[in-house]
Amino acid sequence: MLTADFGTGGVKVGVVDRTSSLVAVTVEHYPLSRPAPMYAEQRPTDWWSAFVRAVGDLRAAVPDLAEGLGAIAFSAQMCGIVCVDATGHPLRPAIIWLDKRAADLTRSVVGGFPAAFGYNIPKAIAWLHLANGGPPLNGMDPPSKIAWVRKHEPEIWAATAKILDVRDWLVHRAAGRFVTTADSANLTWLMDTRPGREGWSERLCRMVGVPSDRLPEIVDGSDVVGGLTAQAAAELDLPEGVPVVAGCGDVAATALGSGAVEFGELHVCAGTSSWVGGFLPDRRVSARHSYATVASPVGFRPLLIATQETCGGAFHWLSEVLAGPGGHFDDDIGDFLASAARRDVDDPLFLPWLAGERCPIDDHRLRGTLLGLRFGHGRETLIRAVIDGTVLNLRWALQVVGRERGVRHDPPLPLVGGVGQSPVFAQTLADATGRTVVVTTPRFAGLIGVAALAAPVLGWAADPLAAIRGAVRKEAQEYRPDPRERRLLDLRWAEFSSARRWVVPWSRRRYAGTSGFGGGGR
C-alpha cells in the first residue's frame, strides 16, 4: 500500500508491506508562507504537487508499484482550515495549525459574561460535557480561525461550501468525497464525543456560528472513501479506482505507529512540538493541566494527548542562533545533538517555552529562559542545556499524565518523531524518566500508523490494532537509564521545578493575555 504523512514542511510517502514494514520511502518539501506576524499559510495545491513528485520517485524505486498497489491512505497535520467551494477548489490559502492570527478573536468565540479564566461558564460547561475540552485561547484551533475568516474575509466565508482539515482536502483531491475522521472532528470542538452519540453537535455549531452542513461527513479511519479518481490517477500515473482509505491526523497515526496501542500504554512524540499520548478506555480531561482525550479514528477509541509547544523547534532556534540564518540541521539532527557537551552540574538551565506552553500549563505568555550562563559556556554546553531542558519539560508532562487512572509505568516508553532519530535525545529521555526508551522508525511512525488503518481493507489484519500488534519491528534500539546520569538529571529536575515556580508568574506579569483550559494536540 501507499501511505503519506503531510507535515508542516513536507510530505513523507512510503510503500508499506503486509508486515507493516517500509519497503521504500521518500520525502518532498513544500513552502510555508508567513505573510504577516503570527500568520502561517500553505497552498493546498503545493501539498498535492509534492505528493505527485514523491509518488514519481517511488515508482522509480519500486517498479511494480502500480501493479501491486492495494490502497492509499493519508495522515496529515491537524487544526488547519481549508475553505473550499462545492467542487473542493480552495478559496484561499490554508490557515494551518501554526497560525495564531486569531488569538484576539478567540474571546468572541469562547468568552462572555459570566466568565472564568477567559471562558464563558455555560459555554465551557457545554464544551467539556459534549466535546471533552474546548478551544485554547491562543487562537490556534479551528473555531478561532473560522471566526477570523468570517470577520475579515466575508466574501470567502459566503462562498465556502465546506470547511476541511488538511487531510480532508487531500482525501477529496484523491477520491472526490468530503469526509473527515473523529480525531480531526474532535479538534474542531464542534463534535459530540460522548459514547454512543458521536457526531457533529448542533449546539456547539450554533455556539461557534458554523452551519453543520458546511462540515464534512465523519467516518472511521479504516473506511474506504472511494476509488482514485481518473484525474488523480492520471496525475499520479497510478490505476484509477485504487481504494482511498479515510486515514487520520498525524497525532493518531503517530500513536498507532508507536506500537503503544494497549490501554494505559504511553508514547512520546518529539518533533517540532512534542506530546505525551496513549489510548485509554474512557474519556479523560484535565482542566488544570490542559490535556484531554480525543476521539480516535479507530472506533472512537479515546486517545489522550498532552501537547507541549516546543521541542525540535528549540533545536532549530539554537542552530540559527549559533550558525545564523540557514543554519538549520534539517535531517542532521543526530549530528547536531551529538556535539553536546558532557553533562555537568554547572550547566545552564533551559526552560523551553519559546512559543508559550500548553501542557502542563496552557499559557501563551510563558517565555523560554536560559539561567546560569557564565564565561566558558560555549556551543556544546548550550546544546546540552537545550536537550536537557526539553527533556525535563517532557518529564513534567509525563509526571502529570502518569497520575491518570490506568496509566502503565512498566512497559518500555516508545519514542517517535524526528527528534527521536537522535541517540543523545533518546538516552537523555531514559535517564530523565528512569524508563527504558525504545526507538524503531521514529521519523516514519506516522506512515506505519496510517498503514494500520488500511490493513483491514487489504485483508492483512482483522483491525488496525491487530495490524500494529502483528507488525515486525526491525532494528529496534533500546536506551536504558544510566545511574550516574539519572542522579545528575534528578538534580537538574529539582532546579527546573524551582525555576518554573518563579519564571511562570514573572512571564505572566510581563506579558499580556490569559491562560486557558483547552486540551488536544496536532
Side-chain angles (χ1 to χ4, degrees):
M1 79 177 73
L2 193 64
T3 63
D5 183 14
F6 291 80
T8 307
V11 58
K12 308 176 188 75
V13 185
V15 178
V16 181
D17 65 17
R18 65 171 55 245
T19 69
S20 295
S21 298
L22 279 168
V23 175
V25 65
T26 189
V27 179
E28 287 286 341
H29 297 282
Y30 36 72
L32 170 66
S33 174
R34 289 199 174 268
M38 310 300 285
Y39 284 41
E41 297 183 344
Q42 289 178 324
R43 293 187 302 178
T45 52
D46 287 339
W47 304 328
W48 185 257
S49 296
F51 180 56
V52 171
R53 295 194 302 271
V55 171
D57 291 343
L58 288 175
R59 282 201 316 272
V62 184
D64 62 346
L65 175 62
E67 292 76 14
L69 184 60
I72 299 173
F74 299 124
S75 73
Q77 55 175 292
M78 302 174 71
C79 293
I81 64 166
V82 186
C83 297
V84 301
D85 63 18
T87 70
H89 176 74
L91 300 172
R92 67 169 329 281
I95 304 176
I96 69 166
W97 70 270
L98 195 58
D99 192 295
K100 294 184 178 180
R101 76 181 74 179
D104 291 343
L105 278 176
T106 302
R107 287 188 178 279
S108 68
V109 177
V110 305
F113 181 83
F117 305 107
Y119 292 85
N120 172 267
I121 293 173
K123 288 182 179 179
I125 292 171
W127 262 312
L128 287 168
H129 176 61
L130 298 173
N132 201 48
L137 292 174
N138 58 20
M140 296 178 73
D141 280 9
S144 300
K145 293 180 168 87
I146 291 169
W148 188 92
V149 172
R150 191 167 54 223
K151 178 178 179 179
H152 295 284
E153 297 178 348
E155 71 289 352
I156 298 294
W157 179 248
T160 297
K162 294 292 180 183
I163 303 163
L164 306 177
D165 204 345
V166 174
R167 186 277 322 273
D168 306 341
W169 184 85
L170 290 158
V171 168
H172 182 272
R173 185 67 179 77
R177 185 176 165 197
F178 292 122
V179 300
T180 192
T181 51
D183 51 333
S184 292
N186 197 158
L187 292 181
T188 66
W189 306 113
L190 302 175
M191 179 185 174
D192 187 338
T193 66
R194 292 175 296 171
R197 304 183 184 184
E198 294 93 349
W200 296 118
S201 165
E202 291 294 340
R203 180 179 179 185
L204 296 179
C205 287
R206 287 194 300 271
M207 278 170 45
V208 176
V210 177
S212 59
D213 61 3
R214 295 198 189 189
L215 302 173
E217 178 187 359
I218 301 173
V219 300
D220 192 81
S222 292
D223 284 357
V224 175
V225 174
L228 199 63
T229 66
Q231 178 183 350
E235 292 170 345
L236 295 165
D237 196 14
L238 294 175
E240 182 180 351
V242 172
V244 177
V245 177
C248 60
D250 56 358
V251 172
T254 301
L256 290 166
S258 75
V261 297
E262 306 304 331
F263 287 138
E265 292 184 343
L266 298 179
H267 70 275
V268 168
C269 180
T272 302
S273 58
S274 61
W275 66 74
V276 175
F279 291 99
L280 292 174
D282 48 35
R283 299 195 312 173
R284 309 286 174 87
V285 63
S286 172
R288 178 182 178 188
H289 293 301
S290 189
Y291 65 79
T293 55
V294 297
S296 82
V298 184
F300 305 116
R301 185 183 177 96
L303 173 60
L304 185 146
I305 297 294
T307 300
Q308 297 190 310
E309 292 283 20
T310 304
C311 184
F315 303 128
H316 278 280
W317 163 78
L318 183 62
S319 70
E320 284 197 332
V321 168
L322 297 174
H328 292 303
F329 48 74
D330 291 328
D331 296 335
D332 300 322
I333 186 172
D335 292 340
F336 182 76
L337 299 190
S339 63
R342 184 175 175 82
R343 186 173 292 108
D344 187 88
V345 293
D346 192 39
D347 287 345
L349 180 69
F350 178 64
L351 304 181
W353 306 324
L354 299 172
E357 191 51 284
R358 277 207 179 192
C359 176
I361 295 176
D362 184 10
D363 197 331
H364 69 275
R365 297 171 299 184
L366 303 189
R367 294 294 184 268
T369 307
L370 269 168
L371 298 170
L373 288 170
R374 64 164 174 79
F375 287 121
H377 284 157
R379 178 182 184 276
E380 291 77 14
T381 303
L382 291 177
I383 294 173
R384 167 56 63 191
V386 173
I387 293 171
D388 287 359
T390 54
V391 167
L392 290 171
N393 206 45
L394 275 166
R395 174 174 168 171
W396 189 16
L398 278 162
Q399 183 182 74
V400 298
V401 170
R403 299 177 190 140
E404 284 289 336
R405 182 182 72 261
V407 167
R408 297 176 58 187
H409 301 275
D410 50 316
L413 184 65
L415 172 62
V416 293
V419 180
Q421 299 173 91
S422 165
V424 173
F425 187 92
Q427 185 62 54
T428 303
L429 184 62
D431 295 336
T433 61
R435 295 181 61 174
T436 297
V437 171
V438 61
V439 179
T440 49
T441 53
R443 196 177 175 211
F444 304 116
L447 295 178
I448 302 299
V450 75
L453 291 171
V457 174
L458 299 176
W460 291 357
D463 57 58
L465 302 182
I468 291 299
R469 294 183 187 111
V472 175
R473 298 278 167 175
K474 299 178 180 178
E475 301 177 357
Q477 294 178 288
E478 286 193 350
Y479 298 86
R480 300 180 182 276
D482 179 282
R484 176 186 178 275
E485 300 304 319
R486 173 72 171 148
R487 289 191 294 272
L488 284 173
L489 279 164
D490 278 344
L491 293 173
R492 302 296 281 162
W493 169 248
E495 294 173 346
F496 183 94
S497 300
S498 175
R500 75 175 191 244
R501 293 189 184 101
W502 61 265
V503 171
V504 168
W506 177 84
S507 294
R508 287 173 170 170
R509 287 193 301 269
R510 191 170 194 272
Y511 299 101
T514 56
S515 59
F517 75 93
R522 53 181 182 273

